[in-house]
């Protein structure tokens, strides 16, 4: 029988401060806090240069920023070449081009990963890691982030391995909630690289990129002596490189859906088979409510391995007592519920529950540390709101707000649409409330006189099916009363044959860029969303270089999501940097305008936008 467990949050714990990171921070350049923070109550969280601060930690941040400046300036020139060399080395391990389907792997490949661990002297050491292993189609990364935050707030030294990264490869490796520093990354990277290269002379091939990053994660976690390692599966589960973990403390399966069908199979049962491959004999496992086709496979696999499998209901919103999850969107209640059960089980099976909570706790109570973890969990590029501070520097400027979510499957696109609609609705009804905790001085009340427009900034990889993704997004938003004024289709900046860092140069040359895919997306939008089938090459110059549409392109609205009758509601943009600057220029010219831009369809696109906003 399946057991449904409600994860209840029953406490009034205050939010803990959001600490600024050093070089491993989200955005590593900050302005002095004292010059940019508005005044406010002590418990307000401020949003500045895309970093979050609480007023309780302002003094600490001011001091650290001052101290960091001199140290980093001195170290940057010496460390940059070494870090760039590491990125170049990693790039040589990329064995496929963007758009090529990833391979699910084989038992031989898992044996290869084991051989790499032996070379690095890690085969026995990783057995000592106390691992939470999580697979799933959507929500596995969020679940892992919630688990890490919960157990870190319980006092444990945590390691977190997730994929992909958005701006810098170091994002994949978190120690105690922070991206690993460049110094430590380089230390562990070159140790692994040199040992594996030496063996390559003896006929051992260098691992592909993800296999290398996986063994590097184990190297880092062993070296940093983490007390808990939270590991997100890369693709599938059964044959994934992370599945060399033989005895995790507990396993989790997040929501399952149709994604990577060319690799995992074209039915939910096929996909569930691969995901359930992380189950280990008699090791407890948890999952969330699934469609029956997937659930039957999970149950059968669990029964064969004598795995106690529990199905966890979403966290009950009524039990949160006013505490908001650190990750936005109603769908995060599903992931949070799973993370609570995984964390509780980890504490119990490692013998730590009674040590940390000696007074005991029943299944309906939530420890304060769990509350702090749920409230402070962060994952960039998933339901993330970013105010553009470049346009905000102009007092007479309108608002430019980016809503970023890397949704790229039908299920995640639906969740993205619900989140975006809820977020923009909330902004309209609570226009005096800071979005992400930040508003410009003197802005209070001005929103009442501003015109809000919702813009879609979209791209997806050619292996995706935009004929499913775009209608799913539009109908979900429309059902909540949110309609896109315009859609912009733009190529990503990042290239699949190069691993870049957050400091890598941003390409600005747009000559001879192939926009064939973007024009196909636009044609699909106009035909299926707008019901028009006019020629769509109006932005293409004879020399093959696309020009930006005129600014009055953003003027006016139409029923549903288009422009006036007979006009296009979409445009193909020549490059992402030009698009961001074009939007910034538009809000500067129109002080009464609030542009709410949803960036979705690809984590690569989301990462590129974040890199641009960072600059």
């Amino acid at each position: 029988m399946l057991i449904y467990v409600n994860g209840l949050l029953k406490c009034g714990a205050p939010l803990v401060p959001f600490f600024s990171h050093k070089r491993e921070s989200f955005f590593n350049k900050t302005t002095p806090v004292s010059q940019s923070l508005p005044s406010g109550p002590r418990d307000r969280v401020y949003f500045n240069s895309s970093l979050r601060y609480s007023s309780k930690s302002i003094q600490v941040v001011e001091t650290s920023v001052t101290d960091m400046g001199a140290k980093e300036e001195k170290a940057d020139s010496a460390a940059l070449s070494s870090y760039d060399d590491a990125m170049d080395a990693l790039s040589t391990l990329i064995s496929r081009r963007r758009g090529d389907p990833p391979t699910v792997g084989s038992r031989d490949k898992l044996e290869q990963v084991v051989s790499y661990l032996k070379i690095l002297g890690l085969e026995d050491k990783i057995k000592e890691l106390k691992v939470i292993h999580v697979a799933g189609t959507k929500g596995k990364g969020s679940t892992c982030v919630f688990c890490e935050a919960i157990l870190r707030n319980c006092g444990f030294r945590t390691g977190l391995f997730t994929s992909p990264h958005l701006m810098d490869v170091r994002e994949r490796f978190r120690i105690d909630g922070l991206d690993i520093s460049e110094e430590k990354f380089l230390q562990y990277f070159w140790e692994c690289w040199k040992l594996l290269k030496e063996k390559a002379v003896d006929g051992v091939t260098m691992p592909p990129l993800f296999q290398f990053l996986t063994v590097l994660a184990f190297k880092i976690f062993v070296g940093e002596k983490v007390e808990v390692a939270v590991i997100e599966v890369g693709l599938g589960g059964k044959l994934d490189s992370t599945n060399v973990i033989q005895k995790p403390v507990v396993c989790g399966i997040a929501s399952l859906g149709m994604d990577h069908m060319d690799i995992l199979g074209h039915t939910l049962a096929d996909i569930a088979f691969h995901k359930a491959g992380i189950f280990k004999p008699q090791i407890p496992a948890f999952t969330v409510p699934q469609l029956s086709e997937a659930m039957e496979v999970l149950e059968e696999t669990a029964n064969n391995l004598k795995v106690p499998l529990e199905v966890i209901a979403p966290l009950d919103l009524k039990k949160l007592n006013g505490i908001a999850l650190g990750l936005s969107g109603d769908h995060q209640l599903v992931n949070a519920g799973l993370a609570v059960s995984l964390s509780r089980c980890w504490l119990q099976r490692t013998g730590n529950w009674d040590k940390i909570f000696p007074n005991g706790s029943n299944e309906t109570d939530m420890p304060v540390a769990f509350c702090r973890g749920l409230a402070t969990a962060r994952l960039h590029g998933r339901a993330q709101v970013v105010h553009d501070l470049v346009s905000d520097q102009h007092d007479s400027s309108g608002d430019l707000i980016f809503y970023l979510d890397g949704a790229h499957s039908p299920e995640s696109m639906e969740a993205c649409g619900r989140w975006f609609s809820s977020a923009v609705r909330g902004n309209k009804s609570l226009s005096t409330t800071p979005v992400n905790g930040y508003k410009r001085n003197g802005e209070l009340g001005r929103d009442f006189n501003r015109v809000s427009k919702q813009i879609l900034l979209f791209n997806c990889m050619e292996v995706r099916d935009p004929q499913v993704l775009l209608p799913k997004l539009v109908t979900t938003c429309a059902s909540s009363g949110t309609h896109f004024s315009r859609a912009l289709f733009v190529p990503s900046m990042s290239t699949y044959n190069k691993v870049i860092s957050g400091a890598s140069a941003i390409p600005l040359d747009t000559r001879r860029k192939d926009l064939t895919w973007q024009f196909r997306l636009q044609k699909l939008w106009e035909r299926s969303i707008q019901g028009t089938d006019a020629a769509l090459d109006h932005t293409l110059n004879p020399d093959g270089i696309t020009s930006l549409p005129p600014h009055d392109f953003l003027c006016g609205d139409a029923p549903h999501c288009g422009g006036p009758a007979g006009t296009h509601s979409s445009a193909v943009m020549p490059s992402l940097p030009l698009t961001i600057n074009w939007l910034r220029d538009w809000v500067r010219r129109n002080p009464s305008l609030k542009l709410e831009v949803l960036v979705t369809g690809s984590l690569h696109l989301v990462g590129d936008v974040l890199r641009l906003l960072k600059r």
Side-chain angles (χ1 to χ4, degrees), residues 113-305:
V113 177
V114 173
S115 71
Y116 298 137
L117 293 172
K118 288 180 180 178
I119 293 171
L120 298 175
L122 295 173
E123 185 182 21
D124 293 329
K125 292 179 180 179
I126 68 168
K127 295 176 183 177
E128 300 173 5
L129 292 175
K130 295 178 173 60
V131 173
I132 296 176
H133 200 194
V134 182
T137 303
K138 58 189 180 75
K140 61 182 173 22
S142 299
T143 299
C144 287
V145 168
F146 278 128
C147 286
E148 185 280 329
I150 288 171
L151 293 173
R152 172 164 40 87
N153 277 277
C154 287
F156 294 94
R157 181 163 175 78
T158 60
L160 174 66
F161 177 55
T162 59
S163 59
H165 64 272
L166 297 184
M167 293 184 293
D168 195 296
V169 72
R170 293 181 295 112
E171 298 167 21
R172 295 176 184 244
F173 317 95
R174 288 191 198 177
I175 302 296
D176 284 339
L178 303 179
D179 298 346
I180 189 170
S181 67
E182 281 191 13
E183 180 182 4
K184 286 187 175 181
F185 174 84
L186 290 172
Q187 172 194 333
Y188 292 116
F189 173 84
W190 289 120
E191 286 178 11
C192 291
W193 185 268
K194 291 173 182 177
L195 282 172
L196 293 174
K197 269 294 186 182
E198 288 174 4
K199 291 297 181 179
V201 177
D202 300 329
V204 178
T205 59
M206 286 294 286
L209 179 63
F210 187 74
Q211 288 186 19
F212 182 89
L213 295 176
T214 300
V215 297
L216 177 59
F218 290 130
K219 175 73 172 178
I220 291 170
F221 294 162
V222 169
E224 291 300 304
K225 296 179 172 59
V226 300
E227 296 169 291
V228 54
V230 184
I231 307 290
E232 178 191 3
V233 166
L235 175 65
K238 186 177 182 66
L239 301 176
D240 185 70
S241 298
T242 64
N243 207 28
V244 293
I245 302 165
Q246 293 303 308
K247 290 188 177 180
V249 175
V250 61
C251 296
I253 305 289
S255 298
L256 299 182
M258 304 302 291
D259 196 15
H260 298 296
M261 288 91 75
D262 50 339
I263 304 300
L264 303 179
H266 293 274
T267 68
L268 267 180
D270 291 337
I271 292 171
F273 171 78
H274 282 282
K275 307 296 183 180
I278 69 169
F279 289 168
K280 301 300 184 298
Q282 300 180 9
I283 300 295
F286 297 84
T287 189
V288 300
Q290 310 280 4
L291 293 177
S292 60
E293 183 182 358
M295 187 63 76
E296 288 173 2
V297 176
L298 298 182
E299 288 182 279
E300 180 182 358
T301 306
N303 289 334
N304 292 338
L305 295 173

Side-chain angles (χ1 to χ4, degrees), residues 274-513:
H274 282 282
K275 307 296 183 180
I278 69 169
F279 289 168
K280 301 300 184 298
Q282 300 180 9
I283 300 295
F286 297 84
T287 189
V288 300
Q290 310 280 4
L291 293 177
S292 60
E293 183 182 358
M295 187 63 76
E296 288 173 2
V297 176
L298 298 182
E299 288 182 279
E300 180 182 358
T301 306
N303 289 334
N304 292 338
L305 295 173
K306 297 182 180 180
V307 169
L309 175 65
E310 295 188 19
V311 180
I312 308 302
L315 273 177
D316 187 349
L317 189 61
K318 296 177 181 178
K319 303 296 183 178
L320 292 179
N321 288 337
I323 294 178
L325 295 177
L327 304 181
S328 300
D330 291 343
H331 59 287
Q332 292 295 353
L333 293 170
V334 175
N335 303 323
L338 178 59
V340 165
S341 294
L342 290 170
S343 300
R344 188 187 296 270
C345 182
W346 186 92
L347 288 168
Q348 291 168 343
R349 296 199 72 228
T350 56
N352 286 295
W353 180 267
D354 293 334
K355 294 177 183 178
I356 298 176
F357 310 113
N359 297 327
S361 176
N362 60 48
E363 291 296 322
T364 61
D365 291 333
M366 185 72 66
V368 172
F370 278 44
C371 297
R372 289 199 302 265
L374 291 169
T376 58
R378 292 290 176 266
L379 185 60
H380 302 306
R382 281 79 162 181
Q384 181 180 4
V385 182
V386 177
H387 275 264
D388 179 45
L389 296 183
V390 172
S391 57
D392 277 352
Q393 292 172 359
H394 299 262
D395 290 337
S396 60
S397 174
D399 263 349
L400 178 56
I401 308 171
F402 291 91
Y403 298 78
L404 303 112
D405 191 272
H408 52 268
S409 69
E411 295 85 0
S412 59
M413 196 62 71
E414 182 177 357
C416 171
R418 289 198 304 267
W419 162 71
F420 177 65
S421 297
S422 175
V424 297
R425 250 196 344 264
N427 287 347
K428 292 174 183 176
S429 61
L430 299 174
S431 58
T432 60
T433 301
V435 178
N436 254 4
Y438 175 79
K439 267 187 180 289
R440 295 196 308 266
N441 288 327
E443 186 177 6
L444 193 63
R446 294 197 302 176
D447 279 353
F448 291 113
N449 299 318
R450 289 191 167 168
V451 177
S452 295
K453 287 183 178 291
Q454 286 76 51
I455 307 294
L456 175 63
L457 185 60
F458 187 90
N459 191 32
C460 67
M461 298 178 69
E462 295 187 33
V463 295
R464 307 295 178 191
D465 187 356
Q467 297 185 77
V468 175
L469 300 182
L470 285 171
K472 177 72 74 174
L473 174 66
V474 171
T475 55
T476 301
C477 290
S479 66
S480 300
T482 299
H483 305 284
F484 293 103
S485 297
R486 297 292 183 267
L488 306 176
F489 300 100
V490 61
S492 299
M493 297 187 309
S494 55
T495 58
Y496 210 83
N497 61 354
K498 171 70 176 174
V499 179
I500 59 175
S501 71
S504 298
I506 294 176
L508 297 177
D509 188 3
T510 62
R511 291 174 295 179
R512 299 181 178 86
K513 182 176 286 291

Side-chain angles (χ1 to χ4, degrees), residues 75-125:
D76 274 349
S77 58
L80 185 60
S81 61
S82 179
Y83 194 69
D84 285 346
D85 288 344
M87 297 303 101
D88 290 339
L90 273 178
S91 298
T92 65
L93 303 181
I94 298 174
S95 56
R96 58 191 178 89
R97 299 170 302 174
R98 170 171 290 185
D100 290 346
T103 57
V104 71
S106 65
R107 280 296 170 195
D108 291 341
K109 289 188 176 181
L110 281 181
E111 291 173 3
Q112 282 183 337
V113 177
V114 173
S115 71
Y116 298 137
L117 293 172
K118 288 180 180 178
I119 293 171
L120 298 175
L122 295 173
E123 185 182 21
D124 293 329
K125 292 179 180 179

